[in-house]
């Protein structure tokens, strides 16, 4: 593909016959959102300058920025007080695979390696898409009635089945990563009030699971339904039931306990969002440290989302991962803060009981 300057936004007709620089772009509106396994999206507004580029801003035409192609999916054509603008939302060309199907089906239960499953999913798929496996995925998995699906839904199925850590598009090449191949340690840090003007920690217990029912769904059940639970989590947070875990092939109860416990989320999650002046220096998949000096919080985090306005400002909004170790680091700090606050309190500590 032709190389374009990073600060240029190119518009291309759907058939590729017309390609023009977008001269009427309002740089202050140009926003790039990249979120792991979720979003690769451009949003911007352009002013009507009578150019070919402006008139190419219609659905299904292509936006090229920083070497990647995005397909225009939503257009708002606005005429207000004599001013004509068009606002665009464009999704990475990867998401065209939402509308490309693998109609064939491997009926019944079939064993696949990840390579075999991808070969089947992409077989005969139009548009020139391809895939690349990064890392090690050795085990085979049983997939039931795999097929008759959009390629994106098929990839989602394979992500869950093979524990694919990240799916990252590079134009029409779909990269699948294990965690070791994806996460990159940077030894860099977000320091509140130093290079980070805003830092928010959001706690969420709504996804917790510490008790499930294990069920054999074999034609002749191998065992009676039983409960699998994590007593430490229950004693700390109370009971949080999850959906029952089923298997038609496992006959050993210990193996079933292991399978059931894989659905546990034993602690609340924590999502950390920062606003940083590090624009070009932050990318999803990188591991940074978050430092909050006032409360002595220091924890290693993975960048999972980056929202930038790369043509107008150096500020970048970064969302960082919410794994258990980050939550425990934050809880340790909160416990210390609580001890200090309790020690400073001049109010009496009342105990309810009998007089």
């Amino acid at each position: 593909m032709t190389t374009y300057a990073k600060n240029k936004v190119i518009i291309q007709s759907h058939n590729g016959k017309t390609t023009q620089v977008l001269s009427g772009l309002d740089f202050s509106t140009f926003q790039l959102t990249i979120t792991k396994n979720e979003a690769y999206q451009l949003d911007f507004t352009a002013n009507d300058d009578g150019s070919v580029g402006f008139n190419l801003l219609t659905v299904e035409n292509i936006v090229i920025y920083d070497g990647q192609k995005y397909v225009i999916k939503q257009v708002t054509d606005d005429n207000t007080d004599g001013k004509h603008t068009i606002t665009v939302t464009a999704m990475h060309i990867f998401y065209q695979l939402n509308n490309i199907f693998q109609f064939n089906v491997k009926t019944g239960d079939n064993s696949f390696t990840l390579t075999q499953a991808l070969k089947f999913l992409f077989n005969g798929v139009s548009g020139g898409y391809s895939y690349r496996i990064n890392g090690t995925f050795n085990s085979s998995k049983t997939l039931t009635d795999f097929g008759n699906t959009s390629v994106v839904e098929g990839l989602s199925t394979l992500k869950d089945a093979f524990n694919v850590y990240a799916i990252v598009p590079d134009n029409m090449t779909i990269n699948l990563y294990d965690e070791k191949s994806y996460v990159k340690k940077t030894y860099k840090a977000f320091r509140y009030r130093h290079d980070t003007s805003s830092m928010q920690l959001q706690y969420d217990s709504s996804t917790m699971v510490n008790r499930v029912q294990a069920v054999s769904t074999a034609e002749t059940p191998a065992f009676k339904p039983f409960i699998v639970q994590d007593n430490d989590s229950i004693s700390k947070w109370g009971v949080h039931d999850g959906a029952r875990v089923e298997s038609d092939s496992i006959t050993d109860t210990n193996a079933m306990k292991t399978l059931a416990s894989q659905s546990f989320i034993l602690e609340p999650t924590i999502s950390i969002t920062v606003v940083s002046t590090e624009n070009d220096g932050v990318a999803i998949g990188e591991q940074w440290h978050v430092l909050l000096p006032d409360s002595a919080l220091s924890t290693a985090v993975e960048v999972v989302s980056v929202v930038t306005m790369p043509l107008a400002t150096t500020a970048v909004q970064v969302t960082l991962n919410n794994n258990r170790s980050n939550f425990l680091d934050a809880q340790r700090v909160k416990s210390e803060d609580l001890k200090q606050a309790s020690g400073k309190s001049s109010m009496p500590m009342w105990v309810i009981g009998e007089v």
Side-chain angles (χ1 to χ4, degrees):
M1 189 178 72
T2 303
T3 301
Y4 299 100
K6 186 172 182 178
N7 63 347
K8 297 291 186 182
V9 176
I10 311 298
I11 311 300
Q12 188 176 77
S13 60
H14 180 65
N15 59 15
K17 292 183 177 179
T18 305
T19 302
Q20 292 287 323
V21 173
L22 182 60
S23 55
L25 175 66
D26 181 346
F27 283 13
S28 69
T29 67
F30 189 80
Q31 179 174 293
L32 172 62
T33 302
I34 300 178
T35 302
K36 184 180 79 172
N37 298 331
E38 183 178 324
Y40 292 80
Q41 175 177 321
L42 287 175
D43 295 273
F44 60 86
T45 298
N47 300 304
D48 186 355
D49 59 355
S51 66
V52 173
F54 181 85
N55 285 284
L56 284 171
L57 294 177
T58 187
V59 291
E60 294 303 297
N61 279 351
I62 307 297
V63 181
I64 303 172
Y65 174 71
D66 196 20
Q68 297 293 311
K69 289 187 175 183
Y70 300 79
V71 181
I72 298 174
K73 290 298 180 182
Q74 297 176 358
V75 169
T76 301
D77 194 321
D78 185 23
N79 292 271
T80 302
D81 296 330
K83 185 177 181 181
H84 183 206
T85 62
I86 289 179
T87 299
V88 166
T89 295
M91 308 299 292
H92 194 280
I93 198 167
F94 161 73
Y95 292 102
Q96 294 295 87
L97 290 172
N98 275 313
N99 301 312
I100 297 177
F101 271 66
Q102 176 53 262
F103 291 109
N104 295 321
V105 181
K106 285 282 190 178
T107 55
D109 293 340
N110 291 275
S111 179
F112 290 89
T113 64
L114 180 57
T115 298
Q116 290 168 339
L118 287 166
K119 183 177 180 180
F120 173 78
L121 181 63
F122 279 81
N123 185 40
V125 166
S126 62
Y129 288 90
S130 62
Y131 57 86
R132 182 185 298 124
I133 297 174
N134 302 270
T136 304
F137 299 90
N138 287 326
S139 60
S140 297
K141 301 294 181 182
T142 298
L143 303 177
T144 303
D145 296 332
F146 184 53
N148 191 27
T149 180
S150 74
V151 176
V152 167
E153 283 296 320
L155 287 169
S156 179
T157 296
L158 299 184
K159 176 184 174 296
D160 293 339
F162 290 91
N163 196 29
V164 175
Y165 192 73
I167 296 177
V168 181
D170 180 7
N171 284 320
M172 300 174 80
T173 300
I174 316 306
N175 289 282
L176 296 90
Y177 290 89
D178 65 5
E179 183 174 1
K180 184 178 179 181
S181 300
Y182 177 74
V183 178
K184 306 173 189 68
K185 292 184 179 180
T186 66
Y187 305 101
K188 297 178 182 179
F190 296 112
R191 297 176 180 86
Y192 179 53
R193 292 184 179 176
H194 176 66
D195 53 14
T196 304
S197 60
S198 172
M199 185 176 293
Q200 296 177 335
L201 284 69
Q202 182 178 19
Y203 301 87
D204 185 357
S205 65
S206 62
T207 60
M208 283 184 63
V209 174
N210 54 26
R211 187 176 75 173
V212 296
Q213 185 185 48
V215 178
S216 172
T217 55
E219 188 172 341
T220 301
F223 46 79
K224 293 181 179 179
F226 64 93
I227 295 296
V228 181
Q229 64 185 38
D230 186 284
N231 292 327
D232 289 342
S233 177
I234 289 174
S235 122
K236 192 173 180 182
W237 303 106
V239 173
H240 291 259
D241 284 329
R244 75 181 193 177
V245 178
E246 303 175 348
S247 174
D248 61 0
S249 59
I250 293 177
T251 58
D252 179 67
T253 55
N254 287 327
M256 193 63 194
K257 287 178 183 178
T258 299
L259 176 66
S261 65
Q262 291 174 5
S263 65
F264 286 166
I265 302 174
L266 300 178
E267 305 279 357
T269 60
I270 178 173
S271 178
I272 305 172
T273 302
V274 302
V275 175
S276 172
T277 56
E278 296 279 352
N279 192 334
D280 292 331
V282 185
I284 64 169
E286 293 181 339
Q287 188 181 84
W288 288 57
H289 265 75
V290 164
L291 303 175
L292 190 58
D294 291 349
S295 60
L297 173 64
S298 175
T299 188
V301 287
E302 177 197 326
V303 177
V304 295
S305 179
V306 178
V307 180
T308 58
M309 304 189 76
L311 304 182
T313 176
T314 60
V316 53
Q317 179 177 299
V318 181
T319 303
L320 304 139
N321 73 322
N322 51 10
N323 65 31
R324 185 171 184 267
S325 63
N326 301 142
F327 175 78
L328 294 177
D329 286 341
Q331 281 297 102
R332 174 184 53 77
V333 171
K334 289 180 74 69
S335 295
E336 290 299 319
D337 289 346
L338 179 60
K339 287 179 184 178
Q340 292 183 21
S342 298
K344 294 177 182 177
S345 176
S346 60
M347 297 296 290
M349 301 296 289
W350 294 96
V351 178
I352 299 175
E354 294 183 358
V355 177

